[in-house]
Amino acid sequence: MSELIIDKITTRDGSNVGAIVVADIDELLLLNTNKEINTTAIVKDSNRGGVFNYDGAQSGVNNGGTIFNGWVRQYDGAVNVKWFGAVGDWDDTLKVGTDNLTAFQNAVANQGIIYIPEGDYYISSTLYITLSNTKLLLAPNATIRTYLSADATIGFSGGDSQITNVGIEGGKIHSYSTSAIDGNAIGLSNVDNWFVDNVTILNARQKGITAQGTIAGLVTGTGRISNCVIEQAGEAGIAIEGVTSGTIFIDNCDIQNVIGASTGSSFDGDGIVLYNDNFATGNFDACQISNCKIGVTSGNGLQAYHVKDVQISNLISSNATGHGCSLRYCGKIDLSNFSVRRCGKYGFTINNIEDSCSAVNISTKEVGYGTTDVYSAIKLQQNGTVQILLANINVADASNLLYSIENDTTGHCKVANSFITEGSVGYFPIVDSLIVLDTPEVMSKRLGTSQTGVSGQTVIAFDTLSSDATSVPYGYLESTTDGITVKKAGVYNINALCYFANATVGEAADIEIRLNNGAISSVNTSATIPSNNRVYAQVSHSVYLEADTTIKVRVNVWSGTYDITSYPTRTLLNVSKV
């Protein structure tokens, strides 16, 4: 048996202290000496040992770790759970080991920094931290685990009042639960100035990390989650829920394998969730998410619902069964450097935004993956008159992409800088419905059969419209009075895309770029997409233009069975200065 070796004790004034030396705590409690003369004892036990001074005023106190019937442990810094009898001896193969719940409960009652040394510590139920100024510090190879039904493995909760300055750092939390609905790894409720740093979470039945504000006046305040790894969870990897006050930071976290829990929750299987269903009694304020990776989720990569003042940057979502990113009923959302790589539905869906929204340096690849349905890279829906800015959009998708940008809204959407589309041969995903690009060097307009546009938006109407089954071409659309006019002389890249709805196999179309009504370039295609019966055509041209040159478009249809006046026809004209 290892021993704690102490040669002598020296007080701060340099004098030596006489001390009684005992083997363990049991011997300490059996001491029968004149305690007024012999006030110091040394306990040699390597786990629970230390130096103790006797205090007669605390002779009736025994907290199992720092005070034993008047013997008061002398220490500076952290409280060690081993002082309270904790043993990290869990055998995960045999599923046997010491239950450390009582030892941990007694340790955290001391507040301050609670240190958990290397070892695998089993607790039979939730360890609740209900006092302010209490922080768990786990050694790198320390694990806290539970295997029984529990609300959470670690729970920080103020109950009916808010607690402050609490958190956990380091180690692993293994949170397997036998309950069908319970089993968060780390839960925080009604706390302020909190943190979860450098923690690895395994097998959370419900949520890996959740911070909640329950009712008005009792909220989750300023806090951070940083450098955490969540390797498996059910409902969500990280969930910030309810009423919040102050800014919550989520930084440099890696979330993988959020498999869903089928709990009937409003969200299930999402990587990161910002969610407020208590908006009648309070707001969800201010969250910043940066430098995170989300992979393999049965729901969405990221979901935000009824939250505001959210900034998301440098985030990668990959292999989501749902949307890469879903924003609903949010106020003031800013996305930047957000990449969605393979998702089962929309890359980004932005619905019912209540304040401004921007998305800059956004990329998608393989949206609608693994399904026969078609989805758009970015879908804007029911956003009212809210202005939405999309900038530097890069779309690289498989052939089942519906649109690069789909805008089903009356709001004003600005697209700054051209986006790139890459797909299978003959398929050109294009902007659909009222998308405007209006910057000095890059210009784009959408053309269509509609003669009217929404206030505040620029829509080119095809003012020449023809359908004649006896002539060749059999029908055409032409913008003879409207187009894009360049104000500076120089070399420009011109790109035009179009599609015709309700076409059948074999029907064909071509599109012409015209400068001041003179055609300079055209391309013909008979490609069709059988799943949605659309004919696509594209033409690109690079040319030197004088100042005040107007670029226009004409679309020809080469099939007598296709009535160009009866079916939707949409065209995008894009001009960028080289």
Side-chain angles (χ1 to χ4, degrees), residues 147 173-177 183 185 201-206 231-233:
Y147 273 92
I173 305 298
H174 190 295
S175 187
Y176 178 79
S177 174
I201 292 172
L202 306 169
N203 300 319
R205 170 79 184 199
Q206 199 168 9
E231 294 189 2
Q232 184 168 309

Side-chain angles (χ1 to χ4, degrees), residues 176-194:
Y176 178 79
S177 174
T178 59
S179 168
I181 60 173
D182 292 326
N184 301 322
I186 299 173
L188 304 104
S189 178
N190 298 330
V191 297
D192 193 20
N193 293 322
W194 55 273

